[in-house]
Amino acid sequence: MAREIVDLKAEVRTGTGKGAARQARREGNVPGIVYGDGAEAQPIKMNYNYLLTKLRQGRFLQTLFNLKVEGQPDVHVICRSVQRDVVKDLPTHVDFMRIHDESRIELFIHVDFINHDAAPGLKRGGTLTVVRHEVELEVTAGDIPDHITVDLTGKTIGDVIHIGDVELPAGAKPTIARNFVIANIAAPSGLVAEETTEASA
């Protein structure tokens, strides 16, 4: 399922350099820059509380935005960096990159696990151990998946789920060439002891 393109509002920021950035912060804004796609870099500013709300919604660096700046045509962007205050961990600067819908970009995509009830290993008390909650994929900007799905149906204790076992959205591919592990179903300690006893009997 492709992710909905979310509107993001910003204003033109006049002036560049540390002085202009400090002025923007004094006015309750976070300074930023929009670059790429062969066009001139555009300094912007975003309302601090508005940006903080967006950041707290999660997946900010994985979302394709429709950037709306008054007096300018809308552009599709993706956030490439959020600089934060080292003490307060609050945003102090944001960088956005312009992209076309057909651009190929690398993003971390959330992994969603379904059908826990249909996994015999979990029913026996096994534990789903998630190695990667997100997987970095190369995707088309206009068709960024909201998540990838791992179906646990039929999975038993000891099963290991690799990226090669997951059906990826059309056009998406892992950025890592090897068949890496996403999760496994581990045996509970009591079951391990029980099976060891049975094996030696």
Side-chain angles (χ1 to χ4, degrees):
M1 184 179 72
R3 192 173 302 174
E4 180 183 352
I5 300 178
V6 179
D7 284 345
L8 193 66
K9 298 175 184 176
E11 298 177 46
V12 171
R13 174 166 56 95
T14 55
T16 57
K18 291 183 179 180
R22 279 196 295 267
Q23 177 64 29
R25 294 187 190 102
R26 280 196 295 269
E27 295 170 352
N29 296 304
V30 177
I33 195 85
V34 183
Y35 63 90
D37 200 24
E40 188 176 338
Q42 171 67 63
I44 60 166
K45 59 184 178 182
M46 301 180 68
N47 177 272
Y48 174 84
N49 290 325
Y50 173 77
L51 176 60
L52 201 59
T53 299
K54 293 289 186 182
L55 288 170
R56 286 173 174 166
Q57 289 172 353
R59 304 191 201 175
F60 193 80
L61 295 175
Q62 302 146 10
T63 301
L64 178 66
F65 290 110
N66 182 48
L67 186 66
K68 303 178 81 68
V69 178
E70 188 174 350
Q72 298 189 9
D74 292 2
V75 291
H76 286 173
V77 299
I78 197 148
C79 183
R80 277 311 190 197
S81 172
V82 179
Q83 296 172 30
R84 296 176 181 270
D85 182 280
V86 293
V87 177
K88 299 178 182 177
D89 194 37
L90 296 173
T92 58
H93 194 277
V94 285
D95 292 353
F96 293 98
M97 184 174 72
R98 302 182 190 97
I99 51 177
H100 290 301
D101 286 359
E102 59 272 16
S103 301
R104 298 288 290 177
I105 54 176
E106 295 179 357
L107 289 178
F108 281 94
I109 304 298
H110 177 71
V111 181
D112 191 19
F113 295 88
I114 63 171
N115 295 327
H116 292 69
D117 294 343
L122 297 181
K123 285 185 175 180
R124 292 184 64 195
T127 304
L128 176 65
T129 302
V130 179
V131 178
R132 293 176 185 258
H133 292 275
E134 296 179 331
V135 173
E136 190 176 32
L137 300 177
E138 181 185 298
V139 297
T140 304
D143 196 24
I144 299 172
D146 183 68
H147 60 271
I148 62 172
T149 301
V150 173
D151 190 348
L152 299 174
T153 300
K155 298 300 181 185
T156 61
I157 288 172
D159 279 356
V160 179
I161 302 162
H162 295 83
I163 186 63
D165 303 322
V166 182
E167 184 177 345
L168 298 178
K173 66 177 184 179
T175 58
I176 300 173
R178 61 184 170 80
N179 192 22
F180 55 85
V181 174
I182 294 178
N184 61 69
I185 297 185
S189 56
L191 186 60
V192 172
E194 177 187 315
E195 289 179 348
T196 304
T197 303
E198 287 177 358
S200 58

